[in-house]
Amino acid sequence: MSYSTLFTCNPSWGKIEDIPSSTEELFWSNIVENVTNHNFRVLSLFATPMNNALHLVCILGNDTTSLLKISRFELINNTFQSHASIIPQIHLFEREIAEQFGVTVHDHPWLKPVRFEQDFSLHVKKNACGDLNYFQVSGEDVHEVAVGPVHAGVIEPGHFRFQCYGENVVNLEISLGYQHRGIERMLQGGPSPQTLSQMEVLAGDTTIGHSLAYVQLVEAMAGIHVSQKSELIRIVLLELERIANHVGDIGALSGDTGFLPTASYCGKLRGDFLNLTASITGNRFGRGGIIVGGVGYDIDFNLAATIAKQLKVLQSKTLSAIDLFFRSTSVLERVENIGKITKEDVITYGFVGIAAKACAIARDTRKNYPFGYYNAISYDIPLEASCDIFARAMMRRAEIVSSLELIHNMLRSIQEIAIQKPTRVNDVVLPSNALGISLTEGWRGEIVHVAQTDEHGKLVRYKITDPSFHNWTALSLAMREGQISDFPLCNKSFNLSYCGFDL
């Protein structure tokens, strides 16, 4: 008997009636077996209403075979047994389900609020943000340091609670949710004219990554064809977004080490790469660049030549500025062997993006679950192995180089033909009672969008997993046994999204 539905490409969708509903016991045994023995990991786990009952839906992915497995079961009495102790990578998903639907999760290691959000039924009173029992360490000379949610800088709000012994961090607990906007709930009833704009601001620095995940999901479910030229332009926009953010991050790391030359250069260069995106879309973050059915703005021969010329100039300046950073002994003293996680941590907790690739784990959606024009090109995932701040910075340098090469290749392939007309939202017809999944590789890592429709083809549930959802745990682990003074550098080396997590 099959306990799951198999998808072999990204994006994919199927009718809900074709996804077998198993018992709770079979649901979990299937997940444990696939994660433990068959190299699958959990891409998404969420609760959703189906057939007048609440179901748990799990999406597993195999990075080697590109297979996606979808399974579900109906909750009895609104409860289920926690499996976070067996599969630690689902600990946060289980907490999220409990918070969003008031579900009782038996034997969870420590069931706490995730975002302090109002439950979907609007019946359960939510806790005030940050109001929870934090992990405590006791003993002589042990002390507690609380940082945030308001920080001494222009950054997003989040609370960090350190348990320290002297200068050493024994434990770091991170509490977020201060920017929760209820986006998943806002999307219900769509697609609407506002839906794409909402996707673009899920995490403002990942406008292209999230909007691309959404539009390719809608296109797959509605059967909308996208021209090759539009697919090429989408890659250009996605890789420009990756470069701009990686350049900015290396500059920020440099600033936190007190090495100002690279900080200053990269601050300027990040703006230059954002301006290239603006030269295509009119917006530095690329808003309006990705639309259902194609792209909002064309790249003709003249613009392609101009961008290619500017990229060559920027490439030389960028690599020179970054290499200054890596040649500085004072910088290396601050980033080598600091903030280490392990390869086992990545596998156990399901970390993605830079955090995984800096531990020599080839986890990249462009290669593992190729989408759009990535299906037609060969792409090697650069890797680092030292698992520390240095490795995460080097990964950014490597991805800047590979993204520049990808963009040059795309610009050379662009043909002088007009892009197709955009699809009007009112013309989009999604299949009824269906469930679809779409993955993209944002600059932080894997982005997962899942859409479920009702009998009228309207969105009844839309589940978003930003890479930061997986990786905040990595920052906590990286700080254990480290010096509290290294926290800013460690934090910057992951540079996770608060609003992408809070949603």
Side-chain angles (χ1 to χ4, degrees):
M1 178 179 176
S2 174
Y3 307 120
S4 60
T5 294
L6 208 59
F7 288 163
T8 57
C9 65
N10 169 38
S12 284
W13 72 277
K15 299 289 281 187
I16 290 172
E17 63 191 25
D18 295 331
I19 302 172
S21 181
S22 63
T23 64
E24 178 176 354
E25 182 181 2
L26 291 175
F27 175 85
W28 287 114
S29 63
N30 183 42
I31 294 172
V32 172
E33 170 68 14
N34 278 291
V35 170
T36 307
N37 299 321
H38 301 291
N39 297 321
F40 279 84
R41 61 188 174 85
V42 178
L43 305 184
S44 189
L45 176 67
F46 59 96
T48 184
M50 288 181 179
N51 304 324
N52 300 317
L54 197 61
H55 282 67
L56 236 56
V57 176
C58 181
I59 299 175
L60 298 172
N62 186 307
D63 294 341
T64 305
T65 63
S66 306
L67 292 177
L68 301 167
K69 279 188 176 182
I70 312 207
S71 55
R72 65 181 173 115
F73 83 94
E74 179 181 334
L75 271 70
I76 307 298
N77 297 324
N78 231 30
T79 69
F80 69 90
Q81 181 69 32
S82 170
H83 283 69
S85 297
I86 303 170
I87 314 170
Q89 60 187 272
I90 65 171
H91 75 104
L92 208 48
F93 284 118
E94 288 190 344
R95 288 169 53 188
E96 182 186 53
I97 292 165
E99 184 172 71
Q100 289 183 334
F101 290 91
V103 171
T104 301
V105 184
H106 294 294
D107 301 323
H108 189 282
W110 202 347
L111 203 60
K112 297 181 177 188
V114 177
R115 307 183 182 95
F116 304 90
E117 65 176 297
Q118 181 68 61
D119 75 306
F120 276 43
S121 70
L122 305 179
H123 292 153
V124 180
K125 185 180 179 182
K126 67 172 185 174
N127 288 5
C129 207
D131 181 14
L132 56 79
N133 294 321
Y134 291 93
F135 184 78
Q136 296 290 312
V137 178
S138 60
E140 191 173 355
D141 293 331
V142 172
H143 60 280
E144 185 176 84
V145 178
V147 178
V150 178
H151 300 273
V154 186
I155 62 172
E156 299 175 275
H159 182 66
F160 302 86
R161 189 74 64 99
F162 298 87
Q163 304 293 323
C164 298
Y165 180 75
E167 291 296 309
N168 290 333
V169 176
V170 180
N171 186 70
L172 165 61
E173 186 165 358
I174 302 169
S175 179
L176 303 175
Y178 296 90
Q179 295 197 112
H180 174 61
R181 294 150 289 168
I183 285 184
E184 289 186 355
R185 199 176 307 153
M186 288 181 202
L187 298 171
Q188 294 174 350
S192 72
Q194 292 79 34
T195 305
L196 183 55
S197 298
Q198 290 165 333
M199 296 296 174
E200 291 180 332
V201 296
L202 285 177
D205 54 19
T206 315
T207 294
I208 302 297
H210 275 293
S211 58
L212 182 56
Y214 165 70
V215 299
Q216 66 181 19
L217 178 51
V218 169
E219 288 159 0
M221 296 182 76
I224 297 171
H225 171 73
V226 179
S227 70
Q228 184 188 78
K229 185 174 186 183
S230 293
E231 297 281 22
L232 290 170
I233 295 174
R234 286 178 175 186
I235 288 187
V236 172
L237 292 172
L238 187 64
E239 298 303 331
L240 276 176
E241 182 174 81
R242 193 181 321 281
I243 295 171
N245 282 291
H246 284 344
V247 169
D249 280 350
I250 292 177
L253 277 170
S254 187
D256 277 357
T257 62
F259 187 71
L260 298 184
T262 300
S264 302
Y265 285 133
C266 286
K268 195 265 182 189
L269 289 164
R270 172 179 175 271
D272 291 338
F273 284 108
L274 290 175
N275 287 340
L276 280 183
T277 298
S279 72
I280 302 169
T281 67
N283 181 281
R284 283 156 56 95
F285 295 104
R287 291 179 187 170
I290 307 289
I291 59 173
V292 174
V295 290
Y297 300 91
D298 198 357
I299 298 179
D300 59 21
F301 274 166
N302 290 334
L303 182 56
T306 301
I307 294 173
K309 185 178 178 181
Q310 292 179 343
L311 276 179
K312 284 184 180 175
V313 175
L314 290 177
Q315 180 168 351
S316 173
K317 291 181 177 178
T318 301
L319 296 182
S320 295
I322 291 174
D323 289 344
L324 279 177
F325 174 82
F326 286 108
R327 285 202 300 267
S328 167
T329 305
S330 62
V331 166
L332 296 180
E333 284 284 332
R334 295 295 312 280
V335 299
E336 288 183 323
N337 296 312
I338 305 291
K340 295 190 78 163
I341 56 175
T342 66
K343 195 171 183 176
E344 290 71 30
D345 290 335
V346 174
I347 295 169
T348 300
Y349 294 99
F351 301 148
V352 298
I354 293 291
K357 288 177 273 194
C359 292
I361 293 184
R363 193 166 283 173
D364 190 312
T365 307
R366 292 171 291 177
K367 181 81 169 182
N368 303 138
Y369 310 93
F371 51 94
Y373 201 71
Y374 291 106
N375 281 292
I377 59 178
S378 174
Y379 175 74
D380 294 324
I381 306 173
L383 298 174
E384 290 288 327
S386 57
C387 307
D388 51 7
I389 295 174
F390 174 81
R392 293 189 283 276
M394 282 295 289
M395 271 306 310
R396 287 184 161 81
R397 184 192 186 282
E399 290 206 342
I400 289 169
V401 173
S402 65
S403 293
L404 284 166
E405 184 180 348
L406 271 173
I407 295 173
H408 280 301
N409 290 339
M410 295 305 104
L411 292 174
R412 280 194 291 268
S413 302
I414 282 179
Q415 298 178 343
E416 193 64 53
I417 54 175
I419 55 173
Q420 65 201 83
K421 292 181 179 177
T423 303
R424 295 191 312 164
V425 173
N426 291 339
D427 295 335
V428 174
V429 180
L430 299 183
S432 61
N433 297 315
L435 189 140
I437 177 171
S438 167
L439 289 81
T440 58
E441 186 72 11
W443 65 275
R444 286 192 178 90
E446 175 186 278
I447 295 171
V448 181
H449 284 210
V450 183
Q452 178 195 341
T453 60
D454 61 12
E455 64 272 23
H456 305 294
K458 295 296 183 183
L459 296 175
V460 65
R461 182 81 168 96
Y462 200 93
K463 181 77 193 81
I464 299 157
T465 308
D466 185 87
S468 299
F469 187 81
H470 297 284
N471 286 0
W472 277 108
T473 304
L475 175 58
S476 292
L477 295 178
M479 284 305 299
R480 285 190 177 178
E481 306 303 325
Q483 298 270 301
I484 192 170
S485 56
D486 288 330
F487 173 67
L489 267 177
C490 248
N491 190 18
K492 204 78 71 184
S493 71
F494 289 99
N495 192 15
L496 302 173
S497 173
Y498 297 69
C499 60
F501 177 95
D502 290 345
L503 296 178

